[in-house]
Amino acid sequence: MSVPIVGSIRRRGLGLALSLLAGTSLLAACGGAETSAQSAPTAQTSQAAGPSGGGEAGGLIAIITPSPDNPFFKAEADAAKVKAEQLGYQTSVASHDDDPNKQSELVDAAISRKARAIILDNAGADASIGPVKKATQSGIPVFLIDREINATGVAKAQIVSNNSQGAQLAAQSFVEAMKEKGNYVELVGKESDTNASVRSKGYADVISQYPDLKSVAKESANWDQQEAFSKMETIIQKNRDIQGVIAGNDTMALGAVAALKAAGMIDKVVVVGFDGSPDAIAAVKAGQMHATALQPAALAAESAVEQADKLIKTGSTGAEEKQSIDCELVTKENADEFGVFGRK
């Protein structure tokens, strides 16, 4: 279910130098230990005033995201780290790997280290409410990016891409490429992630207006490329009469591309994704994907850090809790205009 979005953020340029996986690599998230970009001494993380305002920059900002094996999450973690250090904070960067228990441990660690703020791309819309509330009650403001939680008044901010708008952009492009008819497959994201249902609904809002477009399969691949590949292989084995695939993220779209290549069908099927990852944009340029809806990952992360800094210094973020960033459609015609989850 889509949660109403009341705020907005204006776009601006991004200048990140990120290390990216190759276009044929798997972008699936994987488990692993906490990765600290820079550890901050506990004794130095409670300087001046806290969220009540009148404070100074300094101390720890904890950045917690899903696995950086996915370049989207790496982009937002890197952007938050760079911005926080530019503003005079120390940083720790860790991955919860979409494990709510690990997320709770990382939030507890940030609390024990007296972080000034937590920047969090959470591990579940319901499972994350408790840890966010615990941090807030401990006097540590939490700024959510990319994914919402099913509660308001708990996090200081929820800064997300306008998933409904982006999904409708992608779906309209999909419909046009399909010439308004044919059989298609939808690959859906992780059920615990609000973004999955919002994007799927956005797709349906558009596609349902065209009765000659027929859904032959709708499968969850949990945002994972290998799982998308396997699911798509099975779907193809059951029904090769497929003209389109629309996926809830680029990782799953690229899994579908790999399966379609293996089946010798890539030139006959329209594939559309969501995220605007560098690998997906490369696939768009190569004609293997038709389009992707780009969400500027780094912009949301930078904005979260800037609002945390403002809260620490003045006692207010100057923004409402719910904030959204519009997505942009990337096609072969404009693909050269985009870099790492944003315009060049």
Side-chain angles (χ1 to χ4, degrees):
M1 178 177 64
S2 177
V3 182
I5 295 174
V6 296
S8 64
I9 300 173
R10 299 176 69 91
R11 294 186 175 281
R12 49 189 163 78
L14 305 175
L16 295 174
L18 301 177
S19 173
L20 300 170
L21 298 177
T24 56
S25 64
L26 297 183
L27 302 182
C30 65
E34 174 179 352
T35 56
S36 294
Q38 179 177 344
S39 296
T42 303
Q44 297 180 10
T45 61
S46 184
Q47 300 179 16
S52 59
E56 298 177 355
L60 176 69
I61 289 183
I63 302 159
I64 305 170
T65 70
S67 172
D69 285 353
N70 186 318
F72 179 87
F73 302 129
K74 177 172 172 52
E76 62 184 11
D78 286 353
K81 178 180 186 297
V82 169
K83 178 57 68 175
E85 292 176 358
Q86 286 175 347
L87 293 172
Y89 298 90
Q90 297 168 314
T91 60
S92 67
V93 179
S95 169
H96 54 57
D97 298 322
D98 280 313
D99 180 344
N101 293 325
K102 187 173 182 181
Q103 175 179 256
S104 293
E105 294 171 0
L106 293 172
V107 170
D108 286 346
I111 294 170
S112 69
R113 298 173 71 184
K114 296 182 173 58
R116 305 296 296 279
I118 296 172
I119 311 299
L120 174 64
D121 190 338
N122 72 75
D126 293 314
S128 302
I129 296 172
V132 172
K133 185 178 292 186
K134 184 175 182 180
T136 300
Q137 291 173 343
S138 299
I140 300 173
V142 180
F143 294 79
L144 299 176
I145 55 175
D146 180 42
R147 302 172 177 176
E148 297 170 307
I149 57 173
N150 289 330
T152 56
V154 180
K156 187 58 65 176
Q158 300 194 51
I159 306 171
V160 301
S161 297
N162 191 338
N163 284 279
S164 179
Q165 172 262 350
Q168 291 180 34
L169 269 182
Q172 191 59 54
S173 182
F174 180 73
V175 167
E176 291 168 3
M178 292 281 290
K179 296 181 171 56
E180 303 182 6
K181 63 183 179 180
N183 297 329
Y184 74 95
V185 173
E186 182 183 354
L187 296 175
V188 186
K190 192 180 291 290
E191 290 184 4
S192 63
D193 186 344
T194 305
N195 290 346
S197 59
V198 173
R199 292 176 193 175
S200 185
K201 182 180 184 301
Y203 292 159
D205 287 345
V206 174
I207 297 173
S208 63
Q209 299 176 46
Y210 300 89
D212 290 332
L213 283 168
K214 307 291 185 183
S215 173
V216 295
K218 183 177 180 180
E219 297 273 359
S220 172
N222 294 304
W223 304 131
D224 184 83
Q225 183 165 342
Q226 183 58 49
E227 186 170 347
F229 175 83
S230 299
K231 292 284 178 71
M232 196 66 209
E233 269 196 327
T234 301
I235 291 168
I236 291 169
Q237 288 168 5
K238 293 180 179 178
N239 184 1
R240 292 182 64 90
D241 186 20
I242 297 167
Q243 288 77 50
V245 177
I246 190 163
N249 75 346
D250 285 339
T251 306
M252 296 188 297
L254 290 167
V257 166
L260 291 166
K261 279 184 182 178
M265 297 171 60
I266 191 62
D267 295 333
K268 302 174 183 177
V269 180
V270 174
V271 180
V272 169
F274 195 114
D275 277 343
S277 74
D279 284 349
I281 292 176
V284 169
K285 289 180 180 180
Q288 296 171 350
M289 284 180 58
H290 172 68
T292 178
L294 181 141
Q295 51 174 343
L299 177 55
E302 289 176 341
S303 297
V305 173
E306 289 168 347
Q307 290 176 34
D309 178 60
K310 187 172 182 180
L311 179 68
I312 290 166
K313 292 175 178 175
T314 71
S316 172
T317 65
E320 298 187 42
E321 178 182 340
K322 288 294 190 74
Q323 302 164 53
S324 70
I325 311 170
D326 280 349
C327 301
E328 294 190 72
L329 186 70
V330 181
T331 64
K332 198 168 187 177
E333 288 69 32
N334 67 358
D336 287 335
E337 299 173 18
F338 296 90
V340 182
F341 296 102
R343 286 190 173 272
K344 291 180 179 176

